[in-house]
């Protein structure tokens, strides 16, 4: 019980201005759940919708690695404390795949429909991450071969469906990015280890169905 309360305090701890402490959340992800994380590049202070990286046309402003690069992601407590001690407002970026969860992301409206469909089926869901425009459903790690076979069996795969697997990344709550706040649509349940996540197959089935029904298929969404 003490460990459960400790995790809750870390994930929900507040700064003096009422915003969650990023370093507390980063430490929970890295040291308790063994999810490799690193600080993302911050949004451009001159314009929130722009990114602080050199790319003037960045499509994920403030929500991706830059310096350090993705390969620097770690679960080391000292490194996490050093990073967020020097960059307390930096978004938390998860390096997906390997021993960490992967994710399937889709536009917010379609994602809400997908969650409804999974609930009706009685499927158990893991954590769901929401930004103003896209939601990401965390799933068990999968291989490119496994994903290829899964998608090959589909008659149609909407271009707006994205996969965050080995070598990918995802901004974690409570990060602030160029698109706005990243939050838990479905928060992880406290436990003794990394939160449980489902297999990718059932999530992809619901996501494709939801995107087909809503007509959201443009790759830029």
């Amino acid at each position: 019980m003490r460990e459960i309360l400790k995790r809750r305090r870390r994930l929900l701890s507040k700064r003096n201005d009422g915003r969650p402490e990023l370093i507390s959340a980063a430490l929970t992800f890295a040291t308790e759940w063994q999810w490799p994380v690193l600080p993302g590049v911050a949004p451009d202070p001159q314009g929130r919708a722009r990114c602080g990286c050199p790319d003037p046309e960045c499509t994920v402003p403030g929500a991706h690695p830059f310096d350090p690069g993705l390969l620097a992601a770690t679960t080391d407590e000292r490194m996490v404390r050093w990073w967020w001690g020097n960059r307390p407002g930096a978004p938390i970026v998860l390096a997906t795949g390997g021993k960490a969860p992967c994710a399937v992301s889709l536009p917010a409206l379609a994602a809400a429909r997908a969650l409804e469909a999974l609930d009706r089926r009685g499927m158990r869901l893991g954590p769901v991450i929401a930004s103003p425009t896209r939601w990401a459903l965390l799933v068990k790690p999968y291989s490119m071969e496994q994903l290829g076979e899964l998608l090959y069996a589909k008659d149609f795969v909407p271009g707006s469906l994205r996969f965050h697997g080995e070598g990918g990344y995802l901004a974690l709550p409570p990060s602030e990015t160029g698109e706005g706040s990243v939050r838990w649509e479905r928060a992880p349940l406290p436990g003794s280890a990394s939160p449980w996540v489902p297999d990718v197959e059932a999530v992809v089935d619901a996501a494709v169905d939801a995107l087909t029904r809503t007509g959201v298929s443009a790759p830029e969404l």
Side-chain angles (χ1 to χ4, degrees):
M1 179 60 69
R2 183 176 299 176
E3 287 300 314
I4 290 176
L5 292 175
K6 180 181 178 183
R7 289 185 181 88
R8 283 178 174 170
R9 284 196 298 269
R10 278 191 171 179
L11 282 173
L12 300 175
S13 61
K14 303 288 184 178
R15 306 188 322 183
N16 291 335
D17 61 4
R19 291 175 55 192
E21 283 279 14
L22 287 162
I23 189 171
S24 296
L27 285 168
T28 294
F29 300 140
T31 64
E32 297 184 24
W33 296 354
Q34 293 297 293
W35 292 2
V37 299
L38 75 163
V41 60
D44 188 336
Q46 301 301 316
R48 185 172 186 78
R50 299 200 304 266
C51 190
C53 73
D55 183 0
E57 299 180 358
C58 180
T59 58
V60 283
H64 67 89
F66 175 62
D67 182 19
L70 185 62
L71 292 178
T74 185
T75 60
D76 182 75
E77 179 178 354
R78 292 173 299 175
M79 196 72 244
V80 171
R81 288 189 182 278
W82 187 85
W83 275 333
W84 274 274
N86 288 278
R87 299 165 59 182
I92 305 170
V93 174
L94 167 70
T96 54
K99 295 182 179 180
C102 293
V104 177
S105 72
L106 56 163
L109 175 60
R113 291 179 180 268
L115 263 62
E116 291 174 359
L118 291 171
D119 286 340
R120 285 195 298 270
R121 297 178 194 176
M123 179 180 166
R124 182 184 177 191
L125 284 173
V128 178
I129 298 168
S131 72
T133 58
R134 296 186 69 86
W135 293 7
L137 287 68
L138 298 188
V139 297
K140 292 179 181 177
Y142 53 76
S143 66
M144 292 303 296
E145 180 181 7
Q146 179 186 4
L147 180 62
E149 292 176 355
L150 178 61
L151 298 181
Y152 183 76
K154 300 290 181 187
D155 293 329
F156 171 69
V157 179
S160 56
L161 191 63
R162 295 177 188 166
F163 299 92
H164 309 260
E166 185 76 32
Y169 59 86
L170 195 66
L172 294 173
S175 300
E176 292 286 337
T177 73
E179 292 185 341
S181 300
V182 180
R183 62 177 177 82
W184 296 113
E185 173 63 26
R186 299 206 177 174
L189 297 176
S192 59
S194 179
W196 179 89
V197 292
D199 290 325
V200 68
E201 287 85 356
V203 172
V204 168
D205 287 343
V208 170
D209 182 66
L211 287 168
T212 303
R213 289 176 181 274
T214 56
V216 180
S217 59
E220 68 272 19
L221 292 179

